């Protein structure tokens, strides 16, 4: 949808400027436009100013969004850092394009050998490096780091997640890390499931079930969980609420909790290898449990 909107906007802008050149040619100082087929491409002073103005508008929007984003918490993916670097590249590209276009010797001589308009192409190349190449290389590096340290992590995924959730300190770290990773829905759902299990009043349980349904299991809900069968789960819970079959509801909640734990494994693993304190706490707890088990045997 965004790509279609962007294409439509730029096509409309191109058509508008072409019509202006055709209807009011005196506004331009060169013979080029939609109806001119006698000359090839050329970069003139007014063209450079027009292009630089257009990109400056996009730069201003990027800078505004970037400034707003810096007031939020630091994300775990380095998005703000990447955006800051790309915005600087954008600024240098626009400035260079506009400044170089003001020198006649560059427009009439150098541009034929080294087109300064390629500055914007270089910017897109650098943008791909920052947004794609570096994150991929960093992910590969982290993967090998995890492989080297995998002896510190238990093989049982469920056991690993539950150890994190059972300790208040590591749980708080997980909540903060998942929030800054934009994937806090599974942790929040796990908390609501725990509160549901602790509830004793029927009215409270029904209210919490509706909360789980509306906030996690409906399409477009605020904290929609990542599962391929969300429509089926939503319909199933809705029917269970109507039937008030407590036994079936408990079984459904158990399955939903298992789904939460499974979904949390990725963010838990990233937390372990990005937070040494949490990793040491989990590893120490595993070691202590193993020693106690050996003593019992």
């Amino acid at each position: 949808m965004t790509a279609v909107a962007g294409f439509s906007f730029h096509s409309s802008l191109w058509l508008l400027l072409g019509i202006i050149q055709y209807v009011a040619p005196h506004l331009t100082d060169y013979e080029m436009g939609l109806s001119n087929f006698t000359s090839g491409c050329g970069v003139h002073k007014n063209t450079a100013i027009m292009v630089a103005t257009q990109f400056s508008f996009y730069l201003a929007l990027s800078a505004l969004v970037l400034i707003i984003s810096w007031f939020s918490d630091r994300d775990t993916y380095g998005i703000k850092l990447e955006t800051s670097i790309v915005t600087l590249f954008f600024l240098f590209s626009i400035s260079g394009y506009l400044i170089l276009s003001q020198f006649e010797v560059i427009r009439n001589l150098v541009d034929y050998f080294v087109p300064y308009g390629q500055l914007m192409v270089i910017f897109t190349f650098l943008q791909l490096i920052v947004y794609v190449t570096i994150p991929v290389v960093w992910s590969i590096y982290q993967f090998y780091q995890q492989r080297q340290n995998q002896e510190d992590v238990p093989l049982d995924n469920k056991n690993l997640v539950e150890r994190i959730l059972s300790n208040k300190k590591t749980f708080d770290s997980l909540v903060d890390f998942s929030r800054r990773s934009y994937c806090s829905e599974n942790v929040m759902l796990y908390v609501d499931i725990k509160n549901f299990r602790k509830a004793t009043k029927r009215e409270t349980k029904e209210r919490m079930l509706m909360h789980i349904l509306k906030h996690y299991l409906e399409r477009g809900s605020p904290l929609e969980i990542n599962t391929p069968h969300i429509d089926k789960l939503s319909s199933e819970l809705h029917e269970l609420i109507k039937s008030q079959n407590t036994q079936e509801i408990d079984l459904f909640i158990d399955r939903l909790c298992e789904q939460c734990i499974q979904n949390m494994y990725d963010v838990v693993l990233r937390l372990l290898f990005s937070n040494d304190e949490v990793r040491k706490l989990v590893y120490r707890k595993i070691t202590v449990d193993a020693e106690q088990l050996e003593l019992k045997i």
Side-chain angles (χ1 to χ4, degrees):
M1 188 64 183
T2 304
V4 174
F7 177 79
S8 302
F9 172 75
H10 286 92
S11 299
S12 302
L13 182 62
W14 169 81
L15 182 61
L16 175 63
L17 294 176
I19 292 175
I20 292 175
Q21 286 181 329
Y22 180 76
V23 175
H26 60 279
L27 296 178
T28 61
D29 61 351
Y30 51 89
E31 293 294 332
M32 296 186 72
L34 293 177
S35 60
N36 191 306
F37 303 98
T38 60
S39 61
C41 297
V43 178
H44 297 261
K45 181 179 179 180
N46 287 0
T47 305
I49 294 176
M50 180 182 65
V51 172
T53 302
Q54 178 185 356
F55 279 102
S56 297
F57 172 73
Y58 295 136
L59 177 63
L61 289 179
S62 301
L64 177 62
V65 174
L66 182 62
I67 292 173
I68 295 174
S69 69
W70 277 103
F71 288 96
S72 62
D73 292 339
R74 183 171 63 90
D75 61 274
T76 61
Y77 299 107
I79 296 176
K80 287 192 288 188
L81 178 61
E82 292 176 353
T83 307
S84 301
I85 295 173
V86 170
T87 302
L88 287 177
F89 286 155
F90 201 3
L91 175 62
F92 293 148
S93 300
I94 294 173
S95 301
Y97 183 82
L98 182 60
I99 292 172
L100 292 176
S101 67
Q102 306 307 307
F103 296 96
E104 186 175 354
V105 64
I106 294 179
R107 294 200 310 270
N108 297 334
L109 179 61
V110 178
D111 189 57
Y112 286 94
F113 301 98
V114 184
Y116 63 88
Q118 295 296 324
L119 281 173
M120 303 311 299
V121 178
I122 294 174
F123 162 71
T124 58
F125 177 73
L126 294 175
Q127 186 181 34
L128 287 175
I129 291 178
V130 174
Y131 282 153
V132 179
T133 307
I134 294 178
V136 169
V137 173
W138 178 248
S139 298
I140 294 173
Y141 169 76
Q142 285 186 316
F143 173 76
Y144 281 105
Q145 286 292 105
Q146 292 174 8
R147 290 289 297 272
Q148 292 177 0
N149 300 313
Q150 65 181 357
E151 67 276 2
D152 292 351
V153 181
L155 297 178
D156 187 353
N157 298 356
K158 180 181 177 181
N159 185 37
L160 170 62
V161 175
E162 288 182 341
R163 287 180 185 275
I164 295 286
L165 296 171
S166 62
N167 183 285
K168 186 180 185 306
K169 190 171 184 178
T170 56
F171 174 77
D172 291 340
S173 298
L174 176 61
V175 171
D176 178 69
F177 186 83
S178 63
R179 179 179 57 82
R180 292 188 292 110
S181 298
Y182 309 109
C183 58
S184 61
E185 60 276 1
N186 292 291
V187 182
M188 296 297 99
L189 177 55
Y190 181 85
V191 173
D192 286 338
I193 289 175
K194 287 294 185 182
N195 292 332
F196 169 81
R197 288 172 172 171
K198 292 178 182 178
T200 56
K201 294 183 179 180
R202 178 179 173 182
E203 295 79 7
T204 304
K205 283 182 172 289
E206 290 180 356
R207 185 173 64 253
M208 296 189 69
L209 285 174
M210 289 301 300
H211 172 79
I212 291 174
L213 176 64
K214 297 294 183 181
H215 284 75
Y216 302 100
L217 299 181
E218 288 188 350
R219 290 286 182 184
S221 55
L223 296 170
E224 179 184 339
I225 63 172
N226 183 23
T227 176
H229 308 294
I230 189 168
D231 293 326
K232 181 180 178 181
L233 290 174
S234 177
S235 300
E236 184 178 354
L237 180 57
H238 195 271
E239 293 298 325
L240 289 174
I241 293 174
K242 286 183 178 180
S243 65
Q244 297 184 354
N245 189 328
T246 56
Q247 185 176 0
E248 291 296 328
I249 289 176
D250 289 340
L251 291 175
F252 177 87
I253 291 298
D254 290 341
R255 287 191 287 114
L256 190 60
C257 186
E258 292 290 333
Q259 180 70 51
C260 281
I261 293 175
Q262 181 180 348
N263 290 349
M264 277 189 281
Y265 179 67
D266 177 69
V267 68
V268 164
L269 200 60
R270 289 193 293 111
L271 171 64
L272 282 177
F273 290 103
S274 63
N275 191 317
D276 291 335
E277 184 179 2
V278 173
R279 182 177 171 183
K280 290 177 181 178
L281 283 172
V282 174
Y283 183 55
R284 183 164 61 245
K285 189 176 189 302
I286 294 170
T287 305
V288 171
D289 290 347
E291 291 176 352
Q292 291 177 350
L293 180 61
E294 290 178 358
L295 290 175
K296 290 180 180 179
I297 295 175

